[in-house]
Amino acid sequence: MQKSADMPDLAVFPAAPDLGGAARAWLVHLAAERRLSERTIEAYGRDLRQFLAFLAERFGAPPGIADFTDCAPADLRAFLALRRGEGVHGRSLQRALSALRSLARHIARENGQTAAALGALRAPKAARRLPRPLSAPDARAVTSVAAREGETREAWVLARDAAVLALLYGAGLRISEALSIRRADAPVGKTETITVVGKGRKSRAAPVIAPARKAVEDYLALCPYRLKPEGPLFVGAKGGRLSPRVVQLAMARMRGALGLPDSATPHALRHSFATHLLARGGDLRTIQDLLGHASLSTTQVYTGVDGARLLAAYKSAHPRA
């Protein structure tokens, strides 16, 4: 497998040759076998590099496999305390510990050396942050071409932006999932579901509601390019694959036009999709499948959003609250 451009270069890892080789094989395994995203691999590599730099300073030499597996709980706690003192929050510390445990499991499989301290250490607690969805009227406005009246950009570009955002809200897609749709698989006409490939390259069927299909049809009717069936459905100004950054900028323009908070991002439309379904009686298992979450616990965060909204409504409306 060809090394990703974003995969951390082993040369910057302060490690002895044996641990360095194990780290390289581990990163390749994460990409080729586990199929983790480039961003996750990059973050794991960065976490490992920081830990190895900490060990190198602590031991006075680049650590080898034996140094890594023989780490005491005190070493690990000292590393986490150092990172927390640098302003790193609990969620990032959890990810760092997860990266180290993943490497430890790889070393145990390949070399038979186990890191007992990593298995025994309790993960740092992280504050549970609730998603911040848009209201239903705001979500509808963001996905509407009418809300873009007055912009000087070409009509087909405005229709394209509205169609992409309509899929994020109407089908609960991530930006990467929406932009990976092929022209041949466009949700138009009587096509009520599309197959998308999400995290871990897992595919799922995503129902597409009529307004989202209509938005895609309007975009295709105005698009000046002859789109190849196997090519991307959404293209940029020069006909190439549309960049996620363009979608983010389109959402930023809508924030300014509609007076929405900074939390109104493209991904917030996916949160809105789940929250609004739950508020209308959707069950968590179904929403989990629609979002492509591997774990139900990931989806359960939306019960907190709905509960927080109900509590806020109660406090503002009840005469004795």
Side-chain angles (χ1 to χ4, degrees):
M1 174 185 165
Q2 184 177 359
K3 184 174 81 70
S4 165
D6 290 331
M7 186 174 291
D9 188 343
L10 187 64
V12 301
F13 284 0
D18 61 342
L19 182 54
R24 180 186 295 278
W26 168 63
L27 291 175
V28 171
H29 168 75
L30 294 181
E33 303 297 330
R34 295 283 307 283
R35 297 182 175 181
L36 298 186
S37 70
E38 288 186 355
R39 290 182 62 181
T40 299
I41 294 172
E42 184 181 13
Y44 274 19
R46 184 169 59 249
D47 292 332
L48 176 61
R49 183 168 62 248
Q50 291 163 345
F51 182 63
L52 295 181
F54 168 81
L55 290 184
E57 183 176 351
R58 197 170 179 87
F59 298 154
I65 286 180
D67 299 310
F68 179 79
T69 56
D70 291 346
C71 275
D75 297 320
L76 296 167
R77 284 195 291 268
F79 170 69
L80 295 176
L82 174 66
R83 298 292 291 143
R84 191 179 290 278
E86 294 172 345
V88 178
H89 297 294
R91 196 172 299 277
S92 295
L93 295 178
Q94 288 178 345
R95 187 200 62 217
L97 188 57
S98 177
L100 299 180
R101 285 171 171 166
S102 176
L103 174 59
R105 289 193 296 270
H106 177 82
I107 290 175
R109 285 195 305 269
E110 301 297 324
N111 299 69
Q113 295 169 265
T114 60
L118 275 169
L121 190 67
R122 179 175 297 180
K125 291 185 178 180
R128 192 178 182 94
R129 292 179 297 179
L130 295 178
R132 299 177 66 181
L134 282 68
S135 68
D138 286 341
R140 287 194 293 268
V142 164
T143 61
S144 167
V145 173
R148 292 167 167 77
E149 290 181 359
E151 290 195 36
T152 58
R153 295 181 301 149
E154 296 179 75
W156 80 270
V157 172
L158 299 178
R160 178 203 64 196
D161 293 349
V164 175
L165 297 176
L167 285 175
L168 303 190
Y169 177 54
L173 304 187
R174 302 176 177 92
I175 292 183
S176 60
E177 293 169 347
L179 299 188
S180 68
I181 300 172
R182 303 181 308 163
R183 170 61 184 89
D185 301 324
V188 294
K190 296 182 179 181
T191 302
E192 296 184 346
T193 62
I194 55 174
T195 300
V196 295
V197 180
K199 288 187 176 180
R201 299 183 188 176
K202 294 180 180 179
S203 62
R204 72 180 189 278
V208 182
I209 57 177
R213 298 200 303 272
K214 178 64 164 55
V216 174
E217 291 170 356
D218 291 344
Y219 152 67
L220 288 174
L222 294 172
C223 182
Y225 295 103
R226 192 185 190 96
L227 303 180
K228 297 179 180 179
E230 300 303 313
L233 170 60
F234 296 110
V235 296
K238 296 182 179 180
R241 184 179 295 275
L242 185 62
S243 165
R245 181 58 181 159
V246 174
V247 181
Q248 293 166 348
L249 290 173
M251 188 69 178
R253 279 189 289 268
M254 295 307 296
R255 282 201 301 270
L258 299 173
L260 302 178
D262 290 343
S263 60
T265 63
H267 200 68
L269 289 173
R270 177 172 155 90
H271 293 323
S272 305
F273 165 83
T275 305
H276 298 166
L277 279 182
L278 183 64
R280 296 295 295 271
D283 67 275
L284 279 177
R285 286 290 183 186
T286 300
I287 296 173
Q288 176 190 0
D289 292 339
L290 292 173
L291 292 174
H293 285 163
S295 170
L296 183 62
S297 62
T298 306
T299 315
Q300 284 175 329
V301 69
Y302 294 107
T303 63
V305 176
D306 200 45
R309 179 178 297 174
L310 288 173
L311 184 59
Y314 165 78
K315 288 183 176 180
S316 65
H318 197 284
R320 299 294 298 275

